[in-house]
Amino acid sequence: MTTPLEAEIRRRIELAGPMPVRQFMSLCLTDPTHGYYMTRDPFGRAGDFVTAPEVSQVFGELIGLWAAAVWHHLGKPENVRLVELGPGRGTMMVDALRAANVMPGFRAAMVVHLVEVSPTLRQRQQETLQSLDVPVLWHESFDEVPEGPVIVLANEFFDALPVHQAVKQINGWYERMVGIDHNGELAFTIADEPIPLFEQLLPKQVRDASLGSLFEWRPDNLALEIGRRIVRGGGAALIIDYGHTESAQGETLQAVGKHGFADPLGTPGEVDLTAHVDFQALIMAAESMGVRTHGPLDQAEFLRRMGIERRAESLKASAPLEQATRIDVAVARLTGEGRTGMGKLFKAVAFTDPKLDALPGFVR
């Protein structure tokens, strides 16, 4: 069965030819009418996937403690912008603000800025955050957040930003495209001409890739803008996502629906599309603006340094046995390895004003 978005994608391909993977991914996720994130709440057990804030309140609480400590290190600015990129249901922000109460004055100094393109999720966030006693503003993009001291939080945000893909051929690298094959199905293909001078832009470790190898990359715009804001106005950013610490060849584009993997081309607009974050590229872009980098660390190590085990024990002390067991399971999910564990696959990296050297979670 053809989805409404697939019909639109086919129409565009028939008019203009195959489209780059990045354009296909962008349409699938944020097409105003049929995009995956624009039309649904995909989070939780009833949705398509579960993120760390939905696994346990402890995750968001530790992020809140991190933000409060950073504000203290910044010299307690009287007006700080606490920004979350892609806030989901608003769960992490609620948990973070509850924990941030330990730092007197932080809540009074902050304005919360949520960067969200989805009308559906924005409505859900408004419901979740309506009882808060801090100002909350919504934006379509990070560029709309006012200048000044800023603390940026991004959990599982960068993996959903569309990626370009290129395939190595004998005479250069060709952009990977989505077209229509001889059976009338959506299929991957490559552009007619190689990307000019692409070899010179590749990380050194990828330049000697064998024929047929695939390389993914994202534009640096957001990382550059975050870095610029931090250096100009003071502040920090914490990014937690799944990915690799060094740029490498290989495909990581995947589709997820109903908590299982799906065909990325199978049902456009009906499944989530993501790709691993290239932390080396992300760090290089931010550092080019002058920020200091902390990490990346495995999520498990970051959460342990932030005190996840102590916080879990505190919660369990007054919890019934069944609830205490759920807390143990949640902590194991956030810090564990293996197929269901998030501790190793997910990484944490922070960018700060160059004057900040010691940072919670990144110093032993």
Side-chain angles (χ1 to χ4, degrees):
M1 178 179 169
T2 301
T3 66
L5 184 58
E6 181 178 345
E8 172 61 16
I9 288 171
R10 286 175 174 275
R11 185 188 70 80
R12 295 190 184 204
I13 292 173
E14 287 162 1
L15 282 174
M19 64 177 61
V21 165
R22 181 171 184 267
Q23 182 184 355
F24 173 80
M25 188 173 174
S26 180
L27 286 170
C28 286
L29 297 179
T30 58
D31 175 80
T33 306
H34 304 297
Y36 177 79
Y37 281 111
M38 309 301 276
T39 57
R40 73 198 68 216
D41 173 359
F43 299 97
R45 290 178 176 81
D48 290 326
F49 53 84
V50 175
T51 59
E54 307 286 338
V55 171
S56 171
Q57 70 181 66
V58 176
F59 183 86
E61 289 172 350
L62 295 179
I63 301 303
L65 293 176
W66 184 90
V70 167
W71 176 73
H72 181 80
H73 282 291
L74 290 172
K76 302 181 180 179
E78 293 181 2
N79 185 2
V80 65
R81 295 120 189 89
L82 181 62
V83 182
E84 185 176 358
L85 307 178
R89 293 171 163 175
T91 305
M92 187 175 89
M93 184 57 72
V94 167
D95 292 337
L97 292 179
R98 183 174 61 251
N101 278 329
V102 301
M103 187 67 70
F106 182 37
R107 284 176 76 114
M110 77 169 72
V111 174
V112 173
H113 295 265
L114 302 180
V115 177
E116 181 59 71
V117 297
S118 167
T120 302
L121 288 175
R122 185 178 291 201
Q123 176 64 38
R124 186 65 186 264
Q125 292 153 19
Q126 289 169 346
E127 294 167 1
T128 303
L129 302 171
Q130 62 184 348
S131 61
L132 289 183
D133 59 348
V134 298
V136 183
L137 301 173
W138 277 264
H139 307 281
E140 292 279 327
S141 71
F142 181 64
D143 295 346
E144 297 175 8
V145 177
E147 297 279 349
V150 64
I151 299 174
V152 180
L153 308 174
N155 178 65
E156 287 199 60
F157 176 78
F158 280 86
D159 67 89
L161 296 182
V163 290
H164 289 278
Q165 293 184 327
V167 181
K168 187 172 184 179
Q169 302 291 285
I170 196 164
N171 61 332
W173 289 81
Y174 287 69
E175 180 136 24
R176 199 181 194 203
M177 317 286 280
V178 175
I180 300 173
D181 66 15
H182 62 278
N183 293 319
E185 302 292 332
L186 292 181
F188 290 114
T189 182
I190 59 173
D192 294 333
E193 300 289 336
I195 305 170
L197 306 175
F198 189 68
E199 193 92 17
Q200 300 174 26
L201 303 174
L202 283 171
K204 291 180 181 178
Q205 63 267 35
V206 180
R207 292 176 188 172
D208 295 330
S210 58
L211 291 180
S213 296
L214 190 145
F215 180 70
E216 297 173 333
W217 76 99
R218 290 180 171 91
D220 293 330
N221 319 40
L222 182 55
L224 292 170
E225 178 62 11
I226 290 173
R228 185 190 71 80
R229 291 290 188 94
I230 289 172
V231 171
R232 175 177 290 189
L238 176 65
I239 296 164
I240 300 178
D241 222 315
Y242 59 89
H244 38 273
T245 56
E246 293 188 356
S247 301
Q249 59 180 297
E251 179 176 18
T252 68
L253 177 68
Q254 64 183 26
V256 173
K258 300 301 179 189
H259 302 273
F261 293 109
D263 177 1
L265 303 182
T267 51
E270 300 294 321
V271 292
D272 185 31
L273 295 182
T274 66
H276 285 208
V277 175
D278 181 343
F279 280 95
Q280 179 181 333
L282 190 69
I283 288 168
M284 287 178 63
E287 285 184 341
S288 73
M289 303 306 290
V291 302
R292 182 190 291 264
T293 301
H294 308 258
L297 293 175
D298 290 346
Q299 175 175 291
E301 180 68 13
F302 173 74
L303 293 178
R304 287 190 183 110
R305 292 185 186 184
M306 287 299 300
I308 189 171
E309 286 152 348
R310 290 193 304 274
R311 178 57 180 151
E313 288 303 319
S314 174
L315 288 173
K316 286 164 57 181
S318 57
L321 178 60
E322 185 179 343
Q323 186 179 345
T325 301
R326 285 200 299 269
I327 293 169
D328 284 336
V329 170
V331 170
R333 175 91 182 268
L334 292 172
T335 60
E337 301 180 25
R339 190 176 64 84
T340 60
M342 304 169 76
K344 201 81 172 171
L345 176 61
F346 283 73
K347 310 289 190 296
V349 65
F351 305 134
T352 66
D353 182 306
K355 296 187 290 292
L356 285 185
D357 49 2
L359 199 65
F362 293 92
V363 289
R364 290 187 178 277

